[in-house]
Amino acid sequence: MASRWRVLAMALRHRLLRMIGRPVDPFADTPSGLSLSPSARHFADYDRVALGLRFQALKPDDPQLWQRQARAKLAELSGYRREASVPYSVGEQRFALPDGLLRRRIYLRAREGVDIPVHLVQPENASGPLPVMLCLQGTNSGAHISWGEARYPADLEKGNGDYAIALQAAQRGYMAVAIEQSCFGERGERQIRPRSAAPCVDATMHALLLGRSLIGERCSDVSAVIDWLQAEAAGLQIDPARIHAMGHSAGGSVALFAAALDERIAAVLACGCIGYIRDTIGRRRDDQGQNVIPGILNWLEMADILGLVAPRPLASVAGAADPIWPGEGARAVFAEAGEIYARLGATGRLQLQIEPGGHRFRPDPSWLGFLQFIDP
């Protein structure tokens, strides 16, 4: 009993000290000047990474050959793959939305163990062929936010419509295709008990065991949806040559990497997701691992990922005070990627806007910047 009271007393003391801003360091007697944190090893190595396919260092004579080599390496590292067969529908429902819009919920079976909910949002009486916008939510509760539906209390905080990107796309003449991403919404983990509190960490770790990454699997899903869209283009009344992708934060990352890997994506709007890997996900807390690709710094940095989209249009909006993906970091990446775009004769197809504020999606400047490139 005495031991239990000691435990409780120590815990209470530590909690009270934290509350007044004086957290207890149990190892305060450690000598100074030692590199003991795990990050010290990694930060030291960042300055020495090989970046063996970095365009800026190689300055290749043939930028298209470099793209083929870098794209193959990115696919290998991330575990991205295209399935041999086209996904097929295993269920469909229709729902009316305000302002004369229609939502069709379709479940696509991409392969054994992978069913992908997709939601087609468009004017009910639209006539095609329509351009397509693949809508990818970030770290939110699910794709339902894309058409303004609230299924969780936190969704109501997004009720101003800024994140209703499928509605925004449909109102601008697109067939919006909202893809439920792995780990969110209907695709949240349901089989593991107990599961981790962070929604993505279990999938991230299990993908690593198979030599894959979560972002690689998500990009594979995007390509599977494109396979289906192209196969059903006539019936859907869409233009398969105008398939675009958009997203913010983790959704922007998937839009960007999917376009880097799959050249069928004709244009990209990727916001709140761009900065050098070593300065962003490589230096901050990460309880999800959504964008971690094993070994990528041995070969590529973020400017190279942007360069794999060239010469296709790429637009982005960053927050000047974004603590996750700072605007100045995005500016530096765009400046480096601009060399690749220039070498491919596409200087005018790369655009970054930096807006005041932090980490949030900004519909008006985002759409304005993107539609300078593409007029659906």
Side-chain angles (χ1 to χ4, degrees):
M1 181 63 70
S3 176
R4 177 173 173 78
W5 281 112
R6 286 184 62 196
V7 170
L8 292 174
M10 179 180 287
L12 179 60
R13 176 175 177 270
H14 285 197
R15 178 175 295 181
L16 291 172
L17 287 170
R18 283 198 302 271
M19 290 174 64
I20 63 174
R22 294 171 54 194
V24 176
D25 182 358
F27 300 100
D29 59 344
T30 299
S32 62
L34 300 176
S35 297
L36 300 177
S37 293
S39 58
R41 180 203 302 257
H42 304 144
F43 294 172
D45 288 344
Y46 287 165
D47 293 332
R48 298 190 290 269
V49 289
L51 293 171
L53 282 171
R54 191 176 191 179
F55 189 94
Q56 185 185 61
L58 293 177
K59 299 192 182 302
D61 293 333
D62 185 343
Q64 292 179 324
L65 174 60
W66 170 85
Q67 282 187 317
R68 291 193 293 272
Q69 294 170 337
R71 186 172 291 116
K73 180 56 69 174
L74 179 60
E76 174 193 337
L77 295 173
S78 66
Y80 166 85
R81 73 179 191 185
R82 293 268 306 276
E83 298 296 332
S85 58
V86 175
Y88 58 93
S89 171
V90 292
E92 177 177 344
Q93 293 175 288
R94 294 178 177 236
F95 307 88
L97 292 173
D99 301 322
L101 296 178
L102 172 71
R103 174 170 68 93
R104 296 168 59 188
R105 178 173 66 184
I106 301 172
Y107 295 93
L108 298 180
R109 181 148 296 164
R111 45 155 286 194
E112 181 182 359
V114 182
D115 293 331
I116 307 171
V118 298
H119 303 262
L120 312 184
V121 178
Q122 65 183 92
E124 193 159 5
N125 298 316
S127 59
L130 298 177
V132 172
M133 180 60 80
L134 305 175
C135 299
L136 298 155
Q137 283 292 337
T139 308
N140 289 320
S141 59
H144 56 274
I145 294 174
S146 300
W147 56 90
E149 182 178 348
R151 295 197 173 205
Y152 296 88
D155 297 343
L156 297 173
E157 297 176 1
K158 303 181 184 298
N160 59 5
D162 282 2
Y163 290 86
I165 56 178
L167 295 184
Q168 296 164 19
Q171 290 162 354
R172 288 165 172 81
Y174 282 98
M175 174 184 279
V177 180
I179 302 173
E180 188 80 275
Q181 295 208 74
S182 176
C183 304
F184 299 133
E186 286 188 277
R187 299 184 74 189
E189 182 54 59
R190 296 169 185 264
Q191 294 187 173
I192 298 174
R193 294 289 187 276
R195 58 179 179 265
S196 299
C200 303
V201 67
D202 295 327
T204 294
M205 296 303 181
H206 298 160
L208 291 175
L209 295 174
L210 293 163
R212 302 198 294 261
S213 65
L214 182 56
I215 192 168
E217 293 183 343
R218 288 174 171 173
C219 291
S220 298
D221 291 348
V222 170
S223 289
V225 173
I226 294 174
D227 289 340
W228 177 77
L229 289 169
Q230 291 191 326
E232 300 293 330
L236 294 172
Q237 297 187 54
I238 60 169
D239 182 351
R242 290 195 291 167
I243 296 176
H244 307 155
M246 71 175 297
H248 174 260
S249 193
S253 294
V254 175
L256 174 62
F257 277 77
L261 289 160
D262 193 331
E263 296 178 86
R264 296 175 298 174
I265 297 175
V268 188
L269 174 59
C271 300
C273 63
I274 293 173
Y276 285 114
I277 296 168
R278 288 171 291 177
D279 295 337
T280 54
I281 62 175
R283 289 193 183 269
R284 65 171 183 254
R285 178 180 73 93
D286 187 352
D287 60 356
Q288 305 264 15
Q290 296 185 73
N291 298 328
V292 173
I293 297 176
I296 191 168
L297 289 176
N298 292 322
W299 299 98
L300 303 164
E301 249 291 4
M302 188 64 81
D304 302 305
I305 307 304
L306 273 65
L308 291 178
V309 180
R312 293 164 288 159
L314 168 59
S316 182
V317 175
D322 189 332
I324 304 175
W325 300 97
E328 286 307 309
R331 192 193 304 277
V333 170
F334 266 76
E336 182 178 337
E339 179 183 351
I340 306 173
Y341 268 77
R343 290 285 306 278
L344 289 165
T347 301
R349 293 190 165 193
L350 186 65
Q351 177 174 305
L352 169 69
Q353 299 177 73
I354 298 181
E355 297 286 327
H359 189 69
R360 62 181 178 83
F361 183 61
R362 299 163 173 82
D364 290 341
S366 298
W367 282 106
L368 179 62
F370 184 71
L371 294 177
Q372 289 181 354
F373 299 126
I374 302 296
D375 183 8

